[in-house]
Amino acid sequence: MDWSIVADALPKFALGLQVTLALLAASVVTGLALSIPLAVARVSARRWLAWPVLGFTYALRGTPLLVQLFMIYFGLAQFAWLRDSLVWPLFKSAWFCSWMALSLNTTAYTTEMLAGALRATPHGELEAARAAGMGPGTVLRRILLPGALRRALPQYGNEVVLMLHATSLASTVSLVELTRVARDVYEDHFVVTEAFGTVGVFYFVLTFLLVGGFRLLERRYLRHLAPKRAGADLGMKPA
Amino acid sequence: MPGGPFLGGYGPALLGGLAATLQIAAASLAVATVFGLLGAFAKLSGNTALRGVAATYTTLIRGVPELLLLLAVFYGGQTGLNALGGLFGWDYIDVNPFVAGVLTLGFIFGAYLTETFRGAMLAIPRGQAEAAQAFGFAPWRVLWRITLPQMVRHAIPGFANNWLVMLKATALVSVIGLDDVVHRAGLAAAATRQPFTFYAALAVIYLGITSLSLLALKALNRRFSLGVRTAEL
């Protein structure tokens, strides 16, 4: 194991790490923001709202992310009206296309997750809210969404970890994130362990941090589901 | 569509690539099932060392992206095999991307299937194995006649999910140069300067396979759940 190669390539690794984290953060934020209204539409009783969203999630969950990425990065160049438009510089960039593909993909998965969580709302909560006189908007804001986000938290943590792994696909459209740096270092020195092993360790640590972070969030937001510790005093005095 | 019917004449070529994709998916599933069963037995065994090895396996694999592992195995395999070959004076060996892809994907999804099979085995009431032992069944017979058949029913949802994820992951093998459907679509796109058309066709092909898989898995689920009562909602 040649540590000098690793040391020399450290600036490259740092840059790749930056790009990976930026891509992950941007995609996760966009995905979550888009998926909340889509999830509400998905569980709506109005079929004209629910079915298009179902079509969207079915298409995006049923096809590989790599294909979706290629469609956006390579595919959209086919359209002359896009090439001549003002937004073309955006669609030429690997970062923008990777962000778009990842965001759409995570939107689809998160929408289904949140839709399931919304459907799992205990009916009593809904009844009580309506009995208290809350309008549909207020019920959504104060009862349905907080509950659903809480319920979906463990699954969502998993999804964010999968998103981290998905950022490595951006290397195939020449975005210089961690996996691309690994390939570059390999192609420079033909050393597998130093190149791929180091990047593997980076990803592993990031995964570990994400899982830990979500576990902390779960401890805070799903505290009511945690097992009661032995001897927990409920504050009741003996008779 | 200019150039003729059926995707400008590239249709049959695309479908040829599809055969390679399906072969990889099926082979990887087989390898993953083997790794998954071994891993599940290791995790449920009484041997601490075995449990540790299995835990390391699943944790490491799930902490690293598939593409990275695929590249590492492909390039590492090349380098390792050729270093070995250098010792014996062999010529330069090209690692077959098919083999590299199948072994890597099988290894990766074996980790996910370990968890699925482990959960499925834990879902079987202990009384089943105990009763079998009381009847004098040898341990392997308990496994073969009692545990495994019941495990299949519990494992189907997780197995189905892993199959669908792995099917989509086979697209990654095109990155290490396998002549599969993604690669063919890329070639056709470059030749006709119509990337969107061909990648969209590719998406439709994958969507078709996914839909067929979902139907088949639903039927399988029904077959293995005969006689099981579910909660009346």
Side-chain angles (χ1 to χ4, degrees):
Chain A
M1 174 91 179
D2 191 349
W3 290 104
S4 69
I5 298 183
V6 178
D8 285 334
L10 224 46
K12 272 199 235 175
F13 285 136
L15 212 67
L17 181 66
Q18 256 184 310
V19 174
T20 295
L21 287 176
L23 186 60
L24 177 65
S27 309
V28 164
V29 167
T30 318
L32 191 57
L34 282 175
S35 60
I36 294 180
L38 282 180
V40 175
R42 177 80 175 86
V43 299
S44 154
R46 304 194 179 105
R47 281 187 286 181
W48 58 271
L49 273 179
W51 284 18
V53 179
L54 175 59
F56 168 73
T57 58
Y58 191 69
L60 267 93
R61 296 195 314 161
T63 51
L65 177 57
L66 192 70
V67 175
Q68 294 164 18
L69 185 57
F70 285 177
M71 266 175 90
I72 296 178
Y73 187 69
F74 297 121
L76 292 180
Q78 182 180 331
F79 301 114
W81 55 266
L82 186 63
R83 290 201 303 273
D84 297 331
S85 77
L86 284 168
V87 291
W88 179 233
L90 276 177
F91 280 95
K92 259 202 299 196
S93 100
W95 208 100
F96 182 79
C97 293
S98 307
W99 167 74
M100 193 176 209
L102 278 174
S103 302
L104 287 174
N105 194 283
T106 183
T107 303
Y109 280 97
T110 312
T111 301
E112 283 300 323
M113 228 178 266
L114 283 178
L118 279 169
R119 272 185 226 115
T121 310
H123 194 245
E125 290 187 19
L126 208 52
E127 273 187 316
R130 289 190 184 137
M134 293 191 193
T138 318
V139 175
L140 191 66
R141 184 173 56 88
R142 298 195 61 188
I143 310 293
L144 288 176
L145 280 179
L149 288 167
R150 238 176 256 254
R151 235 166 272 124
L153 194 57
Q155 254 190 310
Y156 189 65
N158 224 27
E159 170 65 19
V160 174
V161 171
L162 288 177
M163 268 293 115
L164 171 68
H165 294 188
T167 58
S168 75
L169 263 72
S171 66
T172 61
V173 294
S174 71
L175 186 67
V176 183
E177 43 68 69
L178 276 174
T179 307
R180 180 85 252 167
V181 173
R183 284 182 89 165
D184 288 343
V185 172
Y186 172 75
E187 275 154 23
D188 284 339
H189 305 279
F190 288 102
V191 280
V192 174
T193 332
E194 287 83 336
F196 295 108
T198 316
V199 167
V201 169
F202 272 108
Y203 276 115
F204 191 73
V205 171
L206 284 173
T207 304
F208 186 75
L209 290 172
L210 277 174
V211 171
F214 272 97
R215 205 168 283 169
L216 285 174
L217 280 176
E218 276 178 45
R219 205 181 298 173
R220 167 147 163 63
Y221 287 105
L222 294 174
R223 199 183 298 131
H224 58 288
L225 294 175
K228 271 214 191 74
R229 271 162 295 174
D233 188 20
L234 293 172
M236 287 167 70
K237 293 207 167 78
Chain B
M1 161 115 220
F6 208 37
L7 282 175
Y10 283 96
L14 230 68
L15 290 177
L18 182 61
T21 298
L22 289 174
Q23 278 171 339
I24 284 216
S28 306
L29 188 67
V31 174
T33 309
V34 171
F35 274 116
L37 282 172
L38 289 174
F41 287 136
K43 271 205 159 175
L44 291 170
S45 85
N47 186 334
T48 324
L50 219 54
R51 276 208 306 271
V53 166
T56 317
Y57 167 51
T58 53
T59 317
L60 275 181
I61 297 285
R62 288 156 73 188
V64 179
E66 291 115 32
L67 185 58
L68 193 75
L69 271 173
L70 205 52
L71 291 170
V73 168
F74 183 60
Y75 291 131
Q78 289 259 43
T79 317
L81 212 57
N82 284 300
L84 207 65
L87 289 175
F88 291 110
W90 296 343
D91 274 327
Y92 183 78
I93 305 173
D94 248 322
V95 171
N96 189 341
F98 183 87
V99 171
V102 167
L103 286 176
T104 313
L105 286 178
F107 193 59
I108 294 173
F109 286 94
Y112 291 101
L113 277 180
T114 297
E115 290 304 315
T116 304
F117 290 147
R118 189 177 75 97
M121 279 195 253
L122 288 174
I124 304 172
R126 279 180 105 243
Q128 300 279 331
E130 281 175 19
Q133 273 183 323
F135 269 104
F137 278 26
W140 67 268
R141 203 184 272 279
V142 177
L143 194 69
W144 185 245
R145 283 304 219 76
I146 309 293
T147 314
L148 281 181
Q150 297 195 50
M151 181 204 81
V152 170
R153 182 170 71 81
H154 288 115
I156 288 188
F159 191 78
N161 200 30
N162 276 303
W163 161 250
L164 292 170
V165 177
M166 188 171 59
L167 190 59
K168 288 178 272 179
T170 56
L172 294 177
V173 193
S174 67
V175 177
I176 58 171
L178 182 71
D179 183 24
D180 71 336
V181 69
V182 179
H183 186 242
R184 298 263 179 111
L187 291 175
T192 61
R193 311 275 193 88
Q194 289 177 325
F196 192 81
T197 316
F198 283 97
Y199 287 123
L202 189 60
V204 169
I205 291 177
Y206 269 106
L207 204 55
I209 310 178
T210 307
S211 309
L212 284 173
S213 300
L214 284 172
L215 283 173
L217 289 161
K218 196 180 276 185
L220 199 70
N221 208 0
R222 237 176 309 143
R223 161 81 177 80
F224 274 93
S225 304
L226 285 171
V228 177
R229 297 192 66 190
T230 53
E232 328 271 306
L233 287 167

